[in-house]
Amino acid sequence: MSLETGNPANVPPLEIHDLTVAYRNKPVLWGIDLVAPAGKLIGIVGPNGAGKSTLIKACMGLLPCSSGWVTAFGRPVTQSLKRVGYVPQRESVDWDFPVSVMDVVLMGRYGRIGLFKRPSPEDRRIARDCLEQVQMLPFADRQISNLSGGQQQRVFLARALAQESDLYFMDEPFTGVDAATESAIISLLQGLRSRGKTILVVHHDLPTARTYFDWLLLLNMRVVAFGPTEEVFTPELLQKTYGGRLTILSEVAEAVRGQGSLT
Amino acid sequence: MSAAPLGDSTQPFGRRTGSGQRLMGMGLRWAVLFTSAFTAQAAKIGDLTQTRWTEQAWRFVTLSDPVVRYACLGTLLLGISCGLLGSFLVVRRMALLGDALSHAVLPGVALGFLWNLEKDPLAIFIGALLAGLAGSATVSILTRTTRLKEDTALGMVLASFFGLGLCLMSMFQRLPTGNKSGIETFLFGQAAALGPGDIQVMGAVTLVVVGLLGLGYKEFLLVSFDPGFARVLALPTVWFERLLVMLLAFAVVSALQAVGVVLVSAMLIIPAATASLLTDRFHRMLVWSSCLGMISGLSGAFLSFLGTRLPTGPFMVLSASLLFALALLFSPRQGIVPRWYRQRSQRVRIERENTLKAIYQVLESDGFASETITVAALTARRRLALAAVEAEIRSLVAVEFATASGDRVALTPSGWQRACAIVRNHRLWELYLTHAAQIAPDHVHDDAEKIEHVLGEAMVRELERRLPRIDTDPHGRPIPSLPASMAGAHLGAGGAGDRPVGYGGRS
């Protein structure tokens, strides 16, 4: 597909072509190909070590790709980061850091504020608005270490909302979250989806994945299946994703790593 | 004074002046430091008692001496820049980087001297900066290309660069020519040796540090808190990281002469650690940290000035540590003393509330027929020794919750109100546990004993809202309603006795 920006309506929000990612020379994702449709809530599921987080990190350019390319809205993803929102795993930051909830949410605005400029009252209004959406406004002035796991997750979500992006990557936003928060988050995501945003969510719980997501990406080091949930949520495909390790693939990966360390 | 142990510790090493290399070969780094820094001054340190320290103090406070002015200015400047950058190190858990960087600059200092065998601030600054950056580059190359973890790489770089620096310096000290005075001040710091050239360098560094951190505050904050997210925002994360290390090297190098290589990392870490006890917002931490840095720097300069050629660094670090200890003890939120005081006053409150509750229960047991109770009845109810109950009654009287005459005790209106509230909390909570959590009625009392003291106004309203009826507790006893109305009803039943105001005094 062409890298030039065409008619926005026809350009997919995310296109991945022949993406291979390796950690320390050991491939963890092989030849990923997919074109994500616009305005869908897409779940990424697969067993542990399937490369779910690796995939979204590689999509945003946080990890180097061994081969292949990723485009967002028809342009290389590093050039369209302004339209990309991100909810990292909760454990990725130090929650004892001396900042308030409001400070963290304002960070979502930094990409739009520009280098060396201060957040404007408008940015603060938007940040408050996003906190309101995740029902965390009363906590705006709290230091982040005083929050529960679910509250921390909602702060990260508010920060991503403050980015006002069109394409979202979320890394396990439901871990450590109670049932009530989980359903509040999912309805929030559905609200985003209905406003035409595309959201990719790494998820580890199969039963809820079926009800939460419009589309599913079944991933186990390579794409097992990608399509509307009702089409891909079948016993055969799930068996293919979860059942039985792909012994040959992991053995070859080990071999490649051995070779890499020789060179 | 503190100088006495210093003087003592130099004595054993003083005899080994000529064997510096052998000592170094044995890895006795501290021995070498003390040898080179103090041998010449060992006798003078012992003379401290003979120097007129009041005169010296007066010289310092009046700022009449240019040496003092330079020393003050220099320590203030280094307090600011070290305090600011130290805050970043502390929140990023990179304290060891400051230590490694400060030790890694030593070969650069030595080479800076070699440049023209003079103490040229600019040559030393550039040499030290280059050595520091070479050190941090070595760390990042080691961690990227090998499986070594960062702390190992930092430790290795720290030791090897420092060793190289010591070798170079001991070699220069044997050179026949050149002015070598002052090279040893770089080990332990000598604020009094600061000259106008040093102040210019330090001023420029502080200006650059404050300016860049002020300009890029939000970027540095984000890169420190969540570098992955910073990269998704298309922030040049790597450049901000490098800039931060660069500024750190600037601050370390400019502080070298006043604090010394060995202790400069303490001036990065301790004020920032103290600041983190005092606040939980990063911008305030920066302000606190640089203020504490300035105070420690100035008092270190002052103390070292009292004696003759005392090193400044150790006194600065001692002042900084003292401030840390004070914060640890007295910081309003996390300090040990305020926390102990809070716990203690909470314990006193709980005991007081338990006594109020017991008085209520005694009154209740005879159907509120009397308005006073006997101390004996209260003692039986509280299951405590008579002396303890009497002490509690005195404490209630002191806060005007009760009045005592002879062996009888009565509640004042405010005491009555408080007693009703606590009994109500207790019984509401029991009711809630049996009703909402389906816990058996005989299991709820112990829990309510604790909860009754912590239920706030809002929580009580919430309980009232959630419970279908709130007149009787699970054990069949009535739950007192809002104190005012209850008190009013009660006042009608009994008559006012010897109390100045009736139970219903508050309407």
Side-chain angles (χ1 to χ4, degrees):
Chain A
M1 190 161 168
S2 133
L3 292 186
E4 279 153 38
T5 315
N7 179 6
N10 298 330
V11 176
L14 178 72
E15 183 175 2
I16 305 174
H17 179 78
D18 193 22
L19 180 77
T20 296
V21 185
Y23 266 129
R24 291 184 175 271
N25 295 321
K26 180 186 173 185
V28 286
L29 284 174
W30 297 77
I32 306 294
D33 272 313
L34 68 85
V35 179
K40 295 278 186 255
L41 190 48
I42 302 167
I44 304 176
V45 293
N48 285 334
K52 304 185 291 280
S53 297
T54 306
L55 176 64
I56 63 168
K57 281 183 187 153
C59 281
M60 289 178 291
L62 295 181
L63 291 173
C65 309
S66 309
S67 73
W69 46 257
V70 181
T71 60
F73 307 101
R75 294 164 67 198
V77 76
T78 43
Q79 288 172 31
S80 39
L81 282 174
K82 283 224 154 54
R83 298 178 68 181
V84 173
Y86 179 32
V87 177
Q89 279 185 18
R90 190 157 51 86
E91 297 78 30
S92 65
V93 302
D94 172 14
W95 289 94
D96 286 331
F97 205 94
V99 284
S100 69
V101 167
M102 187 65 180
D103 292 334
V104 174
V105 178
L106 269 176
M107 287 174 187
R109 303 295 305 160
Y110 285 8
R112 297 187 183 268
I113 295 168
L115 278 182
F116 308 128
K117 293 195 195 111
R118 294 261 169 268
S120 66
E122 173 69 3
D123 292 313
R124 290 181 179 279
R125 193 194 58 73
I126 292 171
R128 267 196 303 277
D129 196 47
C130 296
L131 274 175
E132 179 82 73
Q133 287 184 52
V134 298
Q135 285 138 42
M136 284 291 289
L137 194 54
F139 297 86
D141 289 327
R142 289 266 186 105
Q143 200 228 325
I144 54 172
S145 62
N146 298 326
L147 304 178
S148 71
Q151 290 169 334
Q152 292 174 347
Q153 201 72 67
R154 282 188 275 162
V155 171
F156 263 5
L157 200 62
R159 181 176 73 171
L161 292 177
Q163 288 183 268
E164 298 185 321
S165 305
D166 299 313
L167 169 64
Y168 282 99
F169 294 98
M170 304 192 177
D171 205 344
E172 309 231 9
F174 301 115
T175 44
V177 165
D178 60 275
T181 310
E182 184 159 335
S183 68
I185 292 179
I186 202 72
S187 60
L188 192 73
L189 297 188
Q190 282 160 351
L192 282 178
R193 182 257 328 261
S194 61
R195 293 206 300 270
K197 320 271 186 187
T198 307
I199 307 143
L200 284 93
V201 181
V202 171
H203 195 57
H204 61 274
D205 185 45
L206 260 188
T208 49
R210 183 180 199 170
T211 53
Y212 286 171
F213 302 111
D214 312 326
W215 278 46
L216 279 182
L217 169 62
L218 302 184
L219 192 76
N220 191 350
M221 296 180 75
R222 84 283 181 215
V223 175
V224 177
F226 180 55
T229 305
E230 60 273 21
E231 285 173 27
V232 301
F233 202 89
T234 63
E236 303 83 62
L237 287 174
L238 290 175
Q239 172 63 27
K240 250 177 107 179
T241 315
Y242 283 87
R245 297 198 149 241
L246 291 162
T247 41
I248 294 185
L249 206 54
S250 15
E251 272 169 28
V252 171
E254 283 297 338
V256 171
R257 177 199 209 152
Q259 213 169 36
S261 61
L262 287 177
T263 53
Chain B
M1 242 188 93
S2 1
L6 272 181
D8 288 341
S9 67
T10 61
Q11 290 311 320
F13 303 123
R15 289 195 298 274
R16 295 195 178 185
T17 320
S19 57
Q21 277 175 334
R22 203 174 67 220
L23 282 174
M24 215 150 44
M26 289 156 63
L28 289 175
R29 160 179 137 196
W30 292 102
V32 177
L33 294 181
F34 279 112
T35 310
S36 53
F38 284 126
T39 309
Q41 274 80 49
K44 288 181 188 166
I45 290 170
D47 294 343
L48 177 67
T49 44
Q50 286 158 30
T51 60
R52 281 168 293 176
W53 64 272
T54 42
E55 209 169 274
Q56 287 285 81
W58 182 247
R59 245 177 93 200
F60 191 91
V61 210
T62 51
L63 295 175
S64 53
D65 193 329
V67 172
V68 175
R69 286 202 291 272
Y70 289 136
C72 287
L73 211 53
T75 49
L76 288 176
L77 289 171
L78 87 88
I80 295 174
S81 52
C82 286
L84 291 177
L85 287 157
S87 301
F88 281 95
L89 289 185
V90 167
V91 297
R92 297 171 59 130
R93 304 181 172 184
M94 282 165 55
L96 202 52
L97 178 64
D99 212 15
L101 208 56
S102 60
H103 282 75
V105 300
L106 194 61
V109 173
L111 291 173
F113 259 101
L114 193 62
W115 183 252
N116 52 5
L117 293 174
E118 275 293 328
K119 197 188 139 237
D120 177 355
L122 200 61
I124 291 172
F125 181 82
I126 292 171
L129 194 62
L130 291 178
L133 293 179
S136 76
T138 314
V139 170
S140 86
I141 290 169
L142 280 178
T143 46
R144 257 186 296 135
T145 57
T146 68
R147 280 169 176 271
L148 293 175
K149 298 286 173 277
E150 193 175 37
D151 56 338
T152 311
L154 285 170
M156 280 170 53
V157 166
L158 181 156
S160 52
F161 275 61
F162 192 66
L164 176 67
L166 285 180
C167 286
L168 290 174
M169 283 180 65
S170 62
M171 277 158 62
F172 294 162
Q173 292 214 310
R174 296 176 175 200
L175 287 179
T177 56
N179 175 9
K180 293 164 302 205
S181 79
I183 191 160
E184 69 273 12
T185 65
F186 279 91
L187 285 174
F188 290 103
Q190 185 51 268
L194 291 175
D198 299 305
I199 298 300
Q200 279 169 9
V201 170
M202 293 173 94
V205 164
T206 310
L207 209 63
V208 168
V209 167
V210 173
L212 283 179
L213 289 184
L215 197 65
Y217 171 74
K218 85 178 196 303
E219 284 79 12
F220 284 115
L221 178 70
L222 178 56
V223 167
S224 303
F225 174 65
D226 192 349
F229 191 76
R231 283 172 65 190
V232 173
L233 294 183
L235 215 65
T237 315
V238 179
W239 286 104
F240 279 101
E241 295 277 358
R242 284 184 190 156
L243 195 58
L244 207 56
V245 174
M246 184 81 139
L247 291 179
L248 186 64
F250 267 37
V252 164
V253 172
S254 78
L256 271 192
Q257 179 151 19
V259 196
V261 171
V262 181
L263 291 173
V264 71
S265 66
M267 283 303 285
L268 290 165
I269 304 305
I270 301 176
T274 313
S276 75
L277 290 181
L278 296 173
T279 176
D280 55 10
R281 292 295 182 283
F282 193 57
H283 55 274
R284 282 183 224 141
M285 184 174 162
L286 289 175
V287 174
W288 270 112
S289 178
S290 43
C291 289
L292 290 163
M294 287 194 283
I295 297 170
S296 324
L298 209 56
S299 45
F302 174 72
L303 290 174
S304 72
F305 197 73
L306 293 183
T308 309
R309 303 201 64 175
L310 288 178
T312 319
F315 286 102
M316 270 190 204
V317 173
L318 277 181
S319 316
S321 308
L322 188 69
L323 290 173
F324 177 82
L326 287 176
L328 190 66
L329 285 175
F330 300 110
S331 121
R333 246 171 303 182
Q334 298 180 50
I336 293 170
V337 172
R339 213 159 45 191
W340 170 82
Y341 181 77
R342 275 197 298 273
Q343 276 165 3
R344 187 179 158 276
S345 48
Q346 195 182 357
R347 239 184 358 254
V348 167
R349 182 177 63 88
I350 286 174
E351 283 309 306
R352 190 179 287 155
E353 287 178 350
N354 282 338
T355 311
L356 284 173
K357 188 176 64 179
I359 295 174
Y360 180 97
Q361 285 164 339
V362 174
L363 287 169
E364 187 185 39
S365 65
D366 68 343
F368 299 104
S370 161
E371 296 213 340
T372 62
I373 64 163
T374 61
V375 175
L378 182 60
T379 310
R381 170 64 67 170
R382 279 291 268 142
R383 294 201 196 101
L384 285 173
L386 182 63
V389 172
E390 280 174 341
E392 284 183 2
I393 292 171
R394 276 196 300 277
S395 129
L396 284 181
V397 171
V399 292
E400 297 186 338
F401 275 172
T403 54
S405 56
D407 70 336
R408 296 195 79 81
V409 181
L411 290 174
T412 64
S414 59
W416 169 252
Q417 214 169 356
R418 196 78 207 108
C420 284
I422 221 70
V423 172
R424 182 177 168 77
N425 283 356
H426 182 100
R427 294 181 180 170
L428 274 177
W429 186 248
E430 286 185 337
L431 194 58
Y432 176 74
L433 284 186
T434 49
H435 178 81
Q438 270 98 41
I439 296 176
D442 58 332
H443 285 23
V444 294
H445 176 77
D446 290 343
D447 190 55
E449 280 291 300
K450 294 184 206 105
I451 300 298
E452 64 190 13
H453 303 291
V454 294
L455 280 182
E457 186 89 1
M459 208 59 194
V460 171
R461 295 292 97 80
E462 182 71 17
L463 285 178
E464 287 166 353
R465 213 169 47 76
R466 292 198 177 196
L467 289 166
R469 46 170 199 83
I470 46 168
D471 47 355
T472 333
D473 77 359
H475 311 295
R477 287 179 306 234
I479 296 179
S481 55
L482 292 175
S485 59
M486 175 74 196
H490 182 228
L491 185 65
D498 50 2
R499 285 177 304 282
V501 190
Y503 283 169
R506 181 180 168 272
S507 58

